[in-house]
Amino acid sequence: MKIETIAQNIVDNSEKKLKEIYFVACGGSLVDMYVANYLLEHESLTLTSGWFTSNEFVKFPPKRLGKQSLVILCSHSGNTLETINAGKIAKKAGAQTVGFTFNEKADLLETADYSYIYDWGNEREVSNNPMALIMTLAVEVFERIEGYNNYSNFKEGLERIDTIVAHAEDLVQQRAKAFANARAGEKIFNIIGSGATFGQIYGFAICSLMEMQWLNAVPINSAEFFHGPFEVTDKELPFILTLSIGRTRSLDERVKKFLDRYAQKIEVIDAKELGLDLINESVAEYFNPVLFYSVLSQYRKALANVRQHPLDVRRYMGKVKY
């Protein structure tokens, strides 16, 4: 079923009385939902949205949850127990549910009212990956409930993002290898970004570095950098700083100015340099994390190669009881 069809069915079944959209998942799937929630928080006048890790949603669901709610669930495996339980809680409350997964035989498919099985593996076709798909569903529902002034610009952005990402991946190949060769021996990284990008900053820290490389990492919002974190800055601590396009770019640039003066091990990844300004400025900021996910994936791949630590190796996940 197409995203547009799912959105229309949801709106019709709510008799256009939908009031809340909740995004619920764990780990990388939760990270993929950050930008959709961010967009609704900043663009909608009538829709309340919330971003929840699944187990917290189960233990402490929002009081507003009910027939006027939509709960969007995502689990790559489709069998994440916490997310399936969250779906059951949502349905019991009368909410409509949508499940996103890669697995055609997923248990999540039996829990959700609507399901979308996405493609996976081709990082250049990001418009078909869960981050872009979930954001698209949110926009399609938003458009039908309230109307989105930049709807056509958003749809145009979706058409352009794959080409932009492919070009950006090619552009950073040598840069990523040089970074990996220089930083393979580091034990901790500060990852910094702002706005819609912060979800990817968090995700790169907890999933790419901590989970996949067993490296300590600290995700920092650029707006918070000067309210504590900057005190650890020195010439030995490595930083990865993303420069977003959009209203929060000045926050990132302020951090860069400080790091250029007081730090030495700085890797800057600039969305403007990588071509994101080819998307209309009214919506480009919401495509920052889509771009940065694919670009940062090149960095983690290069780091894994140099460190000889494959990205799929785990110490505890799926190996011990927890």
Side-chain angles (χ1 to χ4, degrees):
M1 189 180 294
K2 291 183 178 180
I3 293 291
E4 293 82 1
T5 304
I6 294 174
Q8 190 62 56
N9 287 344
I10 290 166
V11 172
D12 290 345
N13 287 337
S14 74
E15 297 180 344
K16 214 171 180 180
K17 294 178 181 178
L18 198 71
K19 293 182 180 178
E20 301 102 35
I21 300 180
Y22 298 115
F23 302 91
V24 183
C26 302
S29 295
L30 181 63
V31 167
D32 285 339
M33 295 174 143
Y34 186 90
V35 64
N37 179 64
Y38 190 91
L39 186 152
L40 288 179
E41 282 184 332
H42 289 81
E43 298 289 350
S44 178
L45 290 169
T46 62
L47 289 169
T48 297
S49 66
W51 184 72
F52 291 85
T53 186
S54 299
N55 227 2
E56 191 163 321
F57 186 88
V58 170
K59 302 292 184 184
F60 204 5
K63 203 144 205 169
R64 296 168 63 104
L65 183 67
K67 293 181 180 180
Q68 74 291 344
S69 308
L70 167 64
V71 177
I72 302 176
L73 308 152
C74 185
S75 166
H76 188 62
S77 70
N79 297 318
T80 306
L81 184 59
E82 297 93 332
T83 303
I84 290 168
N85 287 339
K88 291 176 180 178
I89 293 288
K91 291 190 75 172
K92 187 176 180 180
Q96 296 188 72
T97 55
V98 183
F100 285 82
T101 182
F102 171 64
N103 182 3
E104 295 180 357
K105 298 179 180 179
D107 291 342
L108 183 62
L109 302 179
E110 299 177 12
T111 306
D113 296 317
Y114 307 97
S115 300
Y116 193 97
I117 300 169
Y118 55 79
D119 297 327
W120 190 256
N122 188 345
E123 292 169 352
R124 292 175 178 243
E125 292 183 0
V126 291
S127 57
N128 292 319
N129 282 353
M131 192 189 325
L133 290 168
I134 292 168
M135 180 166 57
T136 300
L137 176 59
V139 167
E140 293 293 347
V141 171
F142 174 32
E143 165 69 9
R144 286 161 174 77
I145 291 289
E146 179 182 329
Y148 180 27
N149 290 339
N150 295 312
Y151 177 73
S152 60
N153 291 332
F154 178 83
K155 299 288 278 187
E156 185 179 276
L158 282 175
E159 293 173 1
R160 294 186 177 188
I161 191 61
D162 284 350
T163 301
I164 293 169
V165 164
H167 172 73
E169 285 189 347
D170 291 340
L171 195 62
V172 302
Q173 289 302 313
Q174 293 307 313
R175 202 178 304 174
K177 289 176 183 177
F179 168 85
N181 286 325
R183 303 285 173 256
E186 304 288 352
K187 301 300 181 185
I188 186 167
F189 293 83
N190 277 7
I191 320 298
I192 308 175
S194 66
T197 298
F198 184 71
Q200 278 308 309
I201 298 306
Y202 171 72
F204 187 71
I206 71 161
C207 295
S208 296
L209 296 183
M210 298 177 79
E211 177 188 337
M212 298 180 182
Q213 288 298 289
W214 305 348
L215 292 169
N216 288 312
V218 182
I220 303 169
N221 192 310
S222 298
E224 283 291 283
F225 181 72
F226 295 102
H227 299 277
F230 75 141
E231 286 293 344
V232 301
T233 303
D234 59 27
K235 296 187 184 302
E236 297 303 317
L237 181 64
F239 294 88
I240 299 175
L241 171 64
T242 56
L243 294 181
S244 293
I245 276 186
R247 286 167 283 188
T248 66
R249 183 179 175 89
S250 62
L251 304 179
D252 305 327
E253 291 175 334
R254 183 186 176 200
V255 173
K256 182 178 182 301
K257 185 177 179 181
F258 181 87
L259 293 180
D260 284 342
R261 183 174 181 183
Y262 295 107
Q264 196 168 62
K265 299 177 179 179
I266 314 162
E267 185 71 16
V268 176
I269 305 173
D270 188 343
K272 188 174 184 179
E273 178 192 354
L274 296 175
L276 198 63
D277 56 353
L278 293 174
I279 292 177
N280 189 283
E281 64 179 357
S282 65
V283 296
E285 57 198 326
Y286 300 119
F287 288 90
N288 280 306
V290 182
L291 171 66
F292 284 133
Y293 170 77
S294 293
V295 169
L296 286 168
S297 291
Q298 306 312 303
Y299 278 78
R300 77 180 181 195
K301 189 185 301 180
L303 201 56
N305 289 339
V306 174
R307 298 183 74 242
Q308 297 184 357
H309 184 126
L311 293 169
D312 58 356
V313 171
R314 300 292 182 273
R315 182 166 18 200
Y316 303 112
M317 191 176 288
K319 296 182 179 293
V320 300
K321 274 192 171 184
Y322 50 87

